[in-house]
Amino acid sequence: MFDIYNRKIDYIRISVTDRCNLRCIYCMPEKGIQSIDHKDILSYEEIIYLCENFAKIGISKIKITGGEPLVRDNLAYLIKKIKSIQGINNVTLTTNGILLEEQIDSLVKSGLDAVNVSIDSLDEIAYKSITRIGDVNKVMRGINKTLKYKHIVVKVNCVPIAGVNDEQILDITKMAQNKNISIRFIELMPIGLGKKIKGISEDRIKMIIEENFGKLTVFNKSIGNGPSNYYSLDNFQGKIGFISAVSHKFCEKCNRARLTSNGFLKTCLQYSEGQNLNTLIRSGKNDEEIIEIIKKTIYNKPRENRFLEAEDYENFEQNIMSQIGG
Ligand code: SAM
Ligand code: SF4
Protein backbone atom coordinates (compact mmCIF):
# COMPACT_ATOMS: atom_id res chain seq x y z
CA MET A 1 0.00 0.00 0.00
CA PHE A 2 0.97 3.65 -0.31
CA ASP A 3 1.00 6.19 2.50
CA ILE A 4 -0.12 9.81 2.47
CA TYR A 5 3.23 10.86 0.94
CA ASN A 6 2.95 8.22 -1.78
CA ARG A 7 5.64 5.97 -0.31
CA LYS A 8 5.19 2.27 -0.98
CA ILE A 9 5.05 0.47 2.37
CA ASP A 10 5.87 -3.21 1.92
CA TYR A 11 8.08 -4.05 4.92
CA ILE A 12 7.34 -4.59 8.62
CA ARG A 13 9.79 -5.16 11.45
CA ILE A 14 8.18 -7.35 14.09
CA SER A 15 9.63 -7.44 17.59
CA VAL A 16 8.83 -10.76 19.25
CA THR A 17 10.18 -9.87 22.71
CA ASP A 18 11.50 -6.92 24.68
CA ARG A 19 13.86 -9.24 26.60
CA CYS A 20 17.53 -9.57 25.78
CA ASN A 21 20.54 -11.62 26.82
CA LEU A 22 22.88 -8.61 26.34
CA ARG A 23 22.93 -5.07 27.71
CA CYS A 24 24.45 -2.93 24.94
CA ILE A 25 25.37 0.45 26.39
CA TYR A 26 23.40 2.44 23.78
CA CYS A 27 20.31 0.25 23.97
CA MET A 28 19.62 -1.28 27.41
CA PRO A 29 20.41 -0.12 30.94
CA GLU A 30 22.89 -2.29 32.84
CA LYS A 31 20.21 -3.62 35.17
CA GLY A 32 17.78 -4.24 32.31
CA ILE A 33 14.23 -2.90 32.22
CA GLN A 34 10.91 -3.98 33.63
CA SER A 35 9.90 -6.56 31.02
CA ILE A 36 6.45 -6.52 29.53
CA ASP A 37 4.17 -9.01 31.25
CA HIS A 38 3.89 -12.29 29.31
CA LYS A 39 0.13 -11.90 29.01
CA ASP A 40 0.59 -8.58 27.16
CA ILE A 41 3.06 -10.00 24.62
CA LEU A 42 1.47 -11.07 21.34
CA SER A 43 1.27 -14.85 21.06
CA TYR A 44 2.68 -16.50 17.94
CA GLU A 45 -0.87 -17.13 16.74
CA GLU A 46 -1.68 -13.42 17.11
CA ILE A 47 1.49 -12.43 15.23
CA ILE A 48 0.64 -14.89 12.44
CA TYR A 49 -2.91 -13.52 12.26
CA LEU A 50 -1.57 -9.96 11.95
CA CYS A 51 0.94 -11.03 9.29
CA GLU A 52 -1.91 -12.53 7.24
CA ASN A 53 -3.61 -9.16 7.39
CA PHE A 54 -0.39 -7.28 6.63
CA ALA A 55 0.03 -9.46 3.54
CA LYS A 56 -3.47 -8.52 2.40
CA ILE A 57 -2.53 -4.83 2.31
CA GLY A 58 0.69 -5.44 0.36
CA ILE A 59 3.35 -6.16 2.97
CA SER A 60 5.68 -8.76 1.46
CA LYS A 61 8.79 -8.53 3.66
CA ILE A 62 9.03 -9.25 7.37
CA LYS A 63 12.00 -8.75 9.69
CA ILE A 64 11.95 -10.53 13.04
CA THR A 65 13.66 -8.53 15.77
CA GLY A 66 13.57 -7.91 19.53
CA GLY A 67 14.94 -7.38 22.25
CA GLU A 68 16.80 -10.49 21.28
CA PRO A 69 14.46 -12.60 19.12
CA LEU A 70 16.36 -15.84 19.69
CA VAL A 71 15.57 -15.81 23.43
CA ARG A 72 11.91 -16.47 22.61
CA ASP A 73 11.08 -20.19 22.49
CA ASN A 74 10.71 -21.92 19.16
CA LEU A 75 11.18 -18.91 16.90
CA ALA A 76 11.66 -21.29 13.97
CA TYR A 77 7.97 -22.26 14.29
CA LEU A 78 6.90 -18.62 13.90
CA ILE A 79 9.18 -18.08 10.91
CA LYS A 80 7.89 -21.19 9.18
CA LYS A 81 4.29 -20.06 9.65
CA ILE A 82 4.95 -16.51 8.45
CA LYS A 83 6.92 -17.78 5.46
CA SER A 84 3.93 -19.89 4.41
CA ILE A 85 1.55 -16.90 4.23
CA GLN A 86 0.58 -16.05 0.68
CA GLY A 87 2.13 -12.72 -0.29
CA ILE A 88 5.00 -12.84 2.20
CA ASN A 89 8.10 -13.63 0.20
CA ASN A 90 10.95 -12.61 2.46
CA VAL A 91 11.44 -13.34 6.18
CA THR A 92 14.66 -12.21 7.80
CA LEU A 93 16.11 -11.92 11.29
CA THR A 94 18.12 -9.37 13.23
CA THR A 95 19.99 -10.93 16.14
CA ASN A 96 22.94 -10.32 18.42
CA GLY A 97 24.10 -13.79 17.36
CA ILE A 98 24.76 -15.20 20.83
CA LEU A 99 22.31 -18.07 20.28
CA LEU A 100 22.77 -18.34 16.53
CA GLU A 101 25.12 -21.32 16.50
CA GLU A 102 22.60 -23.51 18.30
CA GLN A 103 19.53 -22.32 16.39
CA ILE A 104 20.66 -21.70 12.81
CA ASP A 105 19.90 -25.23 11.55
CA SER A 106 16.26 -25.05 12.61
CA LEU A 107 15.93 -21.43 11.46
CA VAL A 108 17.17 -22.38 8.00
CA LYS A 109 14.77 -25.32 7.88
CA SER A 110 11.93 -22.93 8.73
CA GLY A 111 12.58 -20.98 5.52
CA LEU A 112 14.51 -17.98 6.84
CA ASP A 113 16.00 -15.89 4.00
CA ALA A 114 18.63 -13.76 5.69
CA VAL A 115 20.33 -13.02 8.99
CA ASN A 116 21.65 -9.68 10.21
CA VAL A 117 24.05 -10.08 13.09
CA SER A 118 24.82 -7.10 15.29
CA ILE A 119 28.45 -7.02 16.30
CA ASP A 120 30.13 -3.81 17.33
CA SER A 121 33.64 -5.12 17.91
CA LEU A 122 35.69 -8.23 17.19
CA ASP A 123 37.92 -7.58 20.16
CA GLU A 124 36.83 -9.71 23.13
CA ILE A 125 37.36 -6.99 25.71
CA ALA A 126 35.84 -4.16 23.69
CA TYR A 127 32.86 -6.38 22.77
CA LYS A 128 32.28 -7.15 26.42
CA SER A 129 32.53 -3.51 27.39
CA ILE A 130 29.85 -2.59 24.83
CA THR A 131 27.47 -5.48 25.48
CA ARG A 132 28.45 -5.71 29.17
CA ILE A 133 28.08 -9.51 29.19
CA GLY A 134 28.58 -10.89 25.69
CA ASP A 135 31.18 -13.32 24.35
CA VAL A 136 32.16 -12.34 20.81
CA ASN A 137 33.53 -15.84 20.11
CA LYS A 138 30.03 -17.26 20.40
CA VAL A 139 28.78 -14.73 17.87
CA MET A 140 31.59 -15.55 15.44
CA ARG A 141 30.83 -19.27 15.70
CA GLY A 142 27.20 -18.47 14.86
CA ILE A 143 28.21 -16.37 11.86
CA ASN A 144 30.62 -19.00 10.54
CA LYS A 145 28.01 -21.73 10.85
CA THR A 146 25.43 -19.56 9.08
CA LEU A 147 27.86 -18.90 6.20
CA LYS A 148 27.83 -22.63 5.43
CA TYR A 149 24.30 -22.14 4.14
CA LYS A 150 25.13 -20.50 0.83
CA HIS A 151 21.56 -19.34 0.12
CA ILE A 152 21.28 -17.39 3.38
CA VAL A 153 22.23 -13.71 3.05
CA VAL A 154 24.45 -12.69 5.97
CA LYS A 155 24.98 -9.09 7.02
CA VAL A 156 26.76 -7.57 9.97
CA ASN A 157 25.39 -4.48 11.73
CA CYS A 158 27.84 -2.28 13.58
CA VAL A 159 27.05 0.90 15.52
CA PRO A 160 30.27 2.94 15.74
CA ILE A 161 30.59 4.85 19.01
CA ALA A 162 33.10 7.63 19.55
CA GLY A 163 35.93 6.57 21.85
CA VAL A 164 34.58 3.04 22.22
CA ASN A 165 34.90 1.01 19.01
CA ASP A 166 36.54 3.49 16.58
CA GLU A 167 39.55 1.21 16.51
CA GLN A 168 37.39 -1.68 15.43
CA ILE A 169 35.97 -0.16 12.26
CA LEU A 170 38.74 -1.67 10.13
CA ASP A 171 38.44 -5.15 11.62
CA ILE A 172 34.68 -5.11 11.11
CA THR A 173 35.18 -3.91 7.51
CA LYS A 174 37.67 -6.72 6.92
CA MET A 175 34.93 -9.28 7.64
CA ALA A 176 33.67 -8.50 4.13
CA GLN A 177 37.05 -9.14 2.51
CA ASN A 178 37.22 -12.90 2.30
CA LYS A 179 33.68 -13.81 3.27
CA ASN A 180 30.35 -13.24 1.62
CA ILE A 181 29.18 -10.84 4.31
CA SER A 182 27.98 -7.29 3.82
CA ILE A 183 28.67 -4.81 6.57
CA ARG A 184 26.32 -2.01 7.54
CA PHE A 185 27.55 0.80 9.71
CA ILE A 186 24.49 2.14 11.52
CA GLU A 187 24.60 5.70 12.72
CA LEU A 188 23.73 5.99 16.39
CA MET A 189 20.24 7.46 16.71
CA PRO A 190 19.13 9.71 19.57
CA ILE A 191 16.56 7.25 20.86
CA GLY A 192 16.52 5.97 24.43
CA LEU A 193 20.06 5.59 25.76
CA GLY A 194 21.39 6.63 22.36
CA LYS A 195 20.56 10.23 23.33
CA LYS A 196 23.46 10.25 25.80
CA ILE A 197 26.12 8.66 23.58
CA LYS A 198 28.09 10.08 20.67
CA GLY A 199 28.28 8.10 17.45
CA ILE A 200 30.73 8.48 14.57
CA SER A 201 29.61 10.16 11.35
CA GLU A 202 29.30 8.29 8.05
CA ASP A 203 31.82 10.64 6.45
CA ARG A 204 34.42 9.91 9.11
CA ILE A 205 33.92 6.14 8.83
CA LYS A 206 34.27 6.33 5.04
CA MET A 207 37.50 8.27 5.44
CA ILE A 208 38.94 5.67 7.84
CA ILE A 209 38.00 2.85 5.46
CA GLU A 210 39.33 4.57 2.32
CA GLU A 211 42.65 5.41 3.98
CA ASN A 212 43.19 1.72 4.59
CA PHE A 213 41.37 -0.18 1.86
CA GLY A 214 41.14 2.23 -1.07
CA LYS A 215 38.22 3.90 -2.78
CA LEU A 216 34.65 3.06 -1.86
CA THR A 217 32.74 2.79 -5.14
CA VAL A 218 28.98 3.29 -5.14
CA PHE A 219 27.17 0.00 -5.58
CA ASN A 220 23.82 0.77 -7.12
CA LYS A 221 21.90 -2.43 -6.49
CA SER A 222 19.94 -2.90 -3.28
CA ILE A 223 20.79 -5.76 -0.92
CA GLY A 224 17.82 -6.64 1.26
CA ASN A 225 14.90 -4.55 2.46
CA GLY A 226 16.46 -1.54 4.01
CA PRO A 227 17.67 1.99 3.41
CA SER A 228 21.37 1.16 3.34
CA ASN A 229 23.61 2.78 0.71
CA TYR A 230 26.17 0.21 -0.37
CA TYR A 231 29.73 0.57 -1.66
CA SER A 232 32.24 -1.88 -3.12
CA LEU A 233 35.91 -2.14 -2.26
CA ASP A 234 38.42 -3.69 -4.64
CA ASN A 235 39.10 -7.33 -3.78
CA PHE A 236 36.31 -7.50 -1.21
CA GLN A 237 33.60 -10.16 -1.55
CA GLY A 238 30.99 -8.36 0.53
CA LYS A 239 29.73 -4.78 0.28
CA ILE A 240 30.05 -1.96 2.80
CA GLY A 241 26.81 -0.16 3.67
CA PHE A 242 25.78 2.87 5.68
CA ILE A 243 22.47 3.51 7.39
CA SER A 244 22.62 7.09 8.52
CA ALA A 245 19.18 8.17 9.66
CA VAL A 246 20.53 11.36 11.22
CA SER A 247 23.16 12.76 8.84
CA HIS A 248 21.83 11.29 5.57
CA LYS A 249 18.19 10.80 6.29
CA PHE A 250 16.21 8.61 3.93
CA CYS A 251 12.63 9.35 5.05
CA GLU A 252 11.39 10.10 1.53
CA LYS A 253 12.07 6.50 0.55
CA CYS A 254 11.13 4.85 3.84
CA ASN A 255 9.15 1.67 3.15
CA ARG A 256 8.58 0.35 6.66
CA ALA A 257 6.37 0.06 9.70
CA ARG A 258 7.03 -1.66 13.02
CA LEU A 259 5.09 -3.92 15.35
CA THR A 260 6.27 -4.04 18.96
CA SER A 261 6.14 -7.22 21.04
CA ASN A 262 3.02 -5.99 22.85
CA GLY A 263 1.25 -5.32 19.58
CA PHE A 264 1.72 -1.60 18.95
CA LEU A 265 1.84 -0.73 15.24
CA LYS A 266 4.42 2.02 14.95
CA THR A 267 4.86 4.05 11.80
CA CYS A 268 8.10 5.92 12.47
CA LEU A 269 10.98 5.12 14.82
CA GLN A 270 11.10 8.57 16.33
CA TYR A 271 7.44 9.15 17.14
CA SER A 272 5.18 7.48 19.66
CA GLU A 273 2.31 7.59 17.16
CA GLY A 274 0.60 4.44 15.97
CA GLN A 275 -2.11 2.01 16.98
CA ASN A 276 -2.41 -0.66 19.64
CA LEU A 277 -3.48 -3.75 17.65
CA ASN A 278 -3.26 -6.03 20.67
CA THR A 279 -6.38 -4.62 22.34
CA LEU A 280 -8.18 -4.56 19.00
CA ILE A 281 -7.64 -8.21 18.19
CA ARG A 282 -8.38 -9.26 21.76
CA SER A 283 -11.59 -7.22 21.80
CA GLY A 284 -12.95 -9.36 18.97
CA LYS A 285 -12.89 -6.91 16.05
CA ASN A 286 -13.39 -8.71 12.75
CA ASP A 287 -10.80 -9.01 9.96
CA GLU A 288 -12.23 -6.19 7.87
CA GLU A 289 -12.20 -3.79 10.82
CA ILE A 290 -8.61 -4.75 11.74
CA ILE A 291 -7.43 -4.33 8.14
CA GLU A 292 -9.09 -0.91 7.86
CA ILE A 293 -7.40 0.26 11.07
CA ILE A 294 -3.99 -1.05 9.94
CA LYS A 295 -4.38 0.71 6.58
CA LYS A 296 -5.43 3.99 8.18
CA THR A 297 -2.53 3.88 10.65
CA ILE A 298 0.08 3.17 7.98
CA TYR A 299 -1.45 5.72 5.61
CA ASN A 300 -0.79 8.42 8.21
CA LYS A 301 2.92 7.57 8.60
CA PRO A 302 4.84 10.76 9.55
CA ARG A 303 6.70 12.52 6.76
CA GLU A 304 10.17 12.50 8.32
CA ASN A 305 12.26 12.20 11.46
CA ARG A 306 13.46 15.23 13.41
CA PHE A 307 16.61 13.71 14.88
CA LEU A 308 18.61 16.86 14.29
CA GLU A 309 16.34 19.01 16.45
CA ALA A 310 17.53 19.54 20.00
CA GLU A 311 14.02 19.72 21.46
CA ASP A 312 12.26 16.64 22.84
CA TYR A 313 8.67 16.99 21.62
CA GLU A 314 5.68 15.44 23.36
CA ASN A 315 4.98 12.99 20.53
CA PHE A 316 8.56 11.68 20.42
CA GLU A 317 9.21 8.04 21.30
CA GLN A 318 10.02 7.58 24.98
CA ASN A 319 10.70 3.84 24.87
CA ILE A 320 14.23 2.50 24.53
CA MET A 321 15.43 0.70 21.41
CA SER A 322 15.15 -2.85 22.81
CA GLN A 323 11.43 -2.17 23.36
CA ILE A 324 10.96 -1.00 19.80
CA GLY A 325 13.09 -3.43 17.81
CA GLY A 326 15.56 -1.12 16.09
N1 SAM B 1 19.00 -7.81 19.67
C1 SAM B 1 19.00 -7.76 18.27
C2 SAM B 1 20.27 -7.12 17.75
O1 SAM B 1 21.02 -6.55 18.56
O2 SAM B 1 20.49 -7.19 16.55
C3 SAM B 1 17.80 -7.07 17.65
C4 SAM B 1 17.29 -5.83 18.31
S1 SAM B 1 18.39 -4.44 18.26
C5 SAM B 1 17.42 -3.20 19.04
C6 SAM B 1 18.38 -4.02 16.53
C7 SAM B 1 19.47 -3.10 16.07
O3 SAM B 1 19.29 -1.82 16.63
C8 SAM B 1 20.87 -3.55 16.45
O4 SAM B 1 21.66 -3.64 15.28
C9 SAM B 1 21.38 -2.44 17.34
O5 SAM B 1 22.76 -2.24 17.21
C10 SAM B 1 20.57 -1.26 16.84
N2 SAM B 1 20.44 -0.15 17.79
C11 SAM B 1 20.06 -0.20 19.08
N3 SAM B 1 20.03 1.04 19.62
C12 SAM B 1 20.41 1.90 18.63
C13 SAM B 1 20.57 3.33 18.54
N4 SAM B 1 20.32 4.15 19.55
N5 SAM B 1 20.95 3.85 17.35
C14 SAM B 1 21.20 3.04 16.27
N6 SAM B 1 21.04 1.71 16.30
C15 SAM B 1 20.66 1.14 17.46
FE1 SF4 C 1 19.99 -6.45 23.18
FE2 SF4 C 1 20.13 -5.91 20.58
FE3 SF4 C 1 19.72 -3.95 22.39
FE4 SF4 C 1 22.07 -5.12 22.31
S1 SF4 C 1 21.16 -3.92 20.65
S2 SF4 C 1 20.86 -4.71 24.16
S3 SF4 C 1 21.57 -7.17 21.76
S4 SF4 C 1 18.34 -5.59 21.93
Side-chain angles (χ1 to χ4, degrees), residues 175-182 233-239:
M175 292 177 84
Q177 195 163 28
N178 300 318
K179 292 181 173 157
N180 195 14
I181 297 177
S182 289
L233 281 171
D234 276 352
N235 305 318
F236 271 59
Q237 275 192 51
K239 306 295 170 206

Side-chain angles (χ1 to χ4, degrees), residues 2 24 59 65 76 116 126 167 172 242 263 310:
F2 289 83
C24 301
I59 301 293
T65 178
N116 294 355
E167 305 285 314
I172 296 274
F242 297 88

Side-chain angles (χ1 to χ4, degrees), residues 15 36-47 49-50 54 72 258-266 274-285 290 293-294 297:
S15 170
I36 299 171
D37 213 87
H38 279 300
K39 69 176 184 352
D40 297 322
I41 297 280
L42 291 180
S43 68
Y44 281 169
E45 300 318 316
E46 287 170 327
I47 295 175
Y49 169 73
L50 285 174
F54 293 150
R72 186 153 173 186
R258 295 175 163 81
L259 181 70
T260 63
S261 58
N262 55 350
F264 190 80
L265 179 62
K266 212 176 137 47
Q275 174 68 48
N276 186 333
L277 299 180
N278 187 337
T279 40
L280 290 182
I281 51 180
R282 291 182 188 182
S283 69
K285 291 235 181 286
I290 301 268
I293 292 167
I294 293 173
T297 307

